[in-house]
């Protein structure tokens, strides 16, 4: 069956521009996570959506970062006024509650 | 808040040697999961442990969950070059609404 789909797979943009990253989770999965991973580093938690509960935004590094999850399915991570330190791979994962996470292939974001 | 610590950060072994990574949580966990991320890939679920003192095996991999459900370990017997990658533990606490917290990961390199 279909896994977690992320788009675009690669994004190169100029410093100061806004970017939107998309995640299509596995159908029926109630939990959705966004992570950031810099080269050779671990997973940095960004935001967590669980069902209809208010999202856990405790990992968002600044107010330039925001995320939405529409209709309990597709999620968009938006980074405004991008900075060079935002360059990283952004990973999305979905799961049923308390079950293993399924990761997408990620979006590699490069800020020039 | 809940923290999951993982050691060591890096481990270099000769092919055929054993390898162990350790995971400790600041709070009691309802379950712990282990993931493997190959270079250039995304984390892939390996196993989930739920019961106190649980031990599970997958071929050369042995996973343990501590009696107090606050620590876990992954042991690989007789490493092979295919074991190369980063191993992450991830735990869910009882009072975090199902949110999965990842450790920092242990990067394993295997010299043939």
């Amino acid at each position: 069956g279909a896994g977690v789909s992320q788009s675009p797979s690669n994004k190169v943009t100029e410093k100061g521009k806004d970017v939107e990253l998309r995640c299509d989770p596995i159908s029926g999965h109630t939990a959705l996570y966004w992570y950031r991973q810099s080269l050779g580093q671990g997973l940095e938690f960004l935001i967590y959506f669980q069902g209809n509960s208010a999202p856990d935004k405790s990992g968002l590094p600044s107010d330039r970062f925001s995320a939405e999850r529409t209709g309990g399915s597709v999620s968009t991570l938006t980074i405004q006024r991008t900075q060079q330190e935002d360059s990283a791979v952004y990973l999305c994962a979905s799961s049923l509650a308390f079950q293993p996470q399924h990761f997408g292939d990620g979006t590699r974001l490069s800020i020039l | 808040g809940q923290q999951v610590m993982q050691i060591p950060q890096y481990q270099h072994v000769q092919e055929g040697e054993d390898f162990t990574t350790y995971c400790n949580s600041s709070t009691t966990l309802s379950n712990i999961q282990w993931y493997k991320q190959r270079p250039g890939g995304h984390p892939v679920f390996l196993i989930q442990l739920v019961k106190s003192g649980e031990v599970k095996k997958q071929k050369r991999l042995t996973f343990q969950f501590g009696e107090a459900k606050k620590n876990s370990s992954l042991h690989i017997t007789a490493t092979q070059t295919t074991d190369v990658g980063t191993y992450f533990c991830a735990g869910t606490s009882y009072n975090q609404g199902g949110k999965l917290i990842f450790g920092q990961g242990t990067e394993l390199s295997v010299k043939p």
Side-chain angles (χ1 to χ4, degrees), chain A residues 36 44-46 57-65 86 90:
Chain A
R36 180 168 69 176
E44 178 187 3
F45 164 76
L46 297 178
K57 303 179 181 181
S58 60
L60 294 178
S62 77
D63 59 7
R64 296 187 295 105
F65 288 72
D86 299 334
Y90 289 80

Side-chain angles (χ1 to χ4, degrees), chain B:
Chain B
Q2 178 195 357
Q3 291 187 331
V4 176
M5 308 300 292
Q6 194 174 349
I7 57 169
Q9 186 175 359
Y10 303 99
Q11 186 77 56
H12 308 285
V13 300
Q14 192 77 32
E15 188 172 23
E17 293 181 338
D18 292 355
F19 158 77
T20 305
T21 173
Y22 301 90
C23 186
N24 286 282
S25 169
S26 57
T27 59
T28 303
L29 301 171
S30 63
N31 68 76
I32 194 151
Q33 299 172 12
W34 285 91
Y35 293 77
K36 177 182 179 180
Q37 184 176 24
R38 294 182 184 273
H42 58 260
V44 174
F45 172 75
L46 293 176
I47 208 161
Q48 176 170 279
L49 304 172
V50 178
K51 299 177 182 177
S52 170
E54 188 170 14
V55 178
K56 286 188 176 181
K57 293 190 176 185
Q58 289 179 348
K59 298 182 180 178
R60 293 178 295 103
L61 277 61
T62 302
F63 303 84
Q64 293 187 328
F65 200 9
E67 294 291 338
K69 301 183 75 174
K70 296 181 75 172
N71 61 285
S72 182
S73 65
L74 158 60
H75 180 81
I76 302 178
T77 302
T79 54
Q80 300 175 359
T81 55
T82 53
D83 296 326
V84 164
T86 300
Y87 293 84
F88 292 96
C89 63
T92 304
S93 287
Y94 288 99
N95 61 349
Q96 291 288 318
K99 179 181 173 182
L100 193 64
I101 305 296
F102 276 81
Q104 303 94 323
T106 296
E107 183 179 343
L108 172 65
S109 64
V110 180
K111 186 176 182 181

Side-chain angles (χ1 to χ4, degrees), chain A residues 40-60:
Chain A
Q41 301 299 309
L43 298 170
E44 178 187 3
F45 164 76
L46 297 178
I47 189 167
Y48 164 52
F49 297 90
Q50 173 57 51
N52 295 321
S53 301
D56 179 340
K57 303 179 181 181
S58 60
L60 294 178

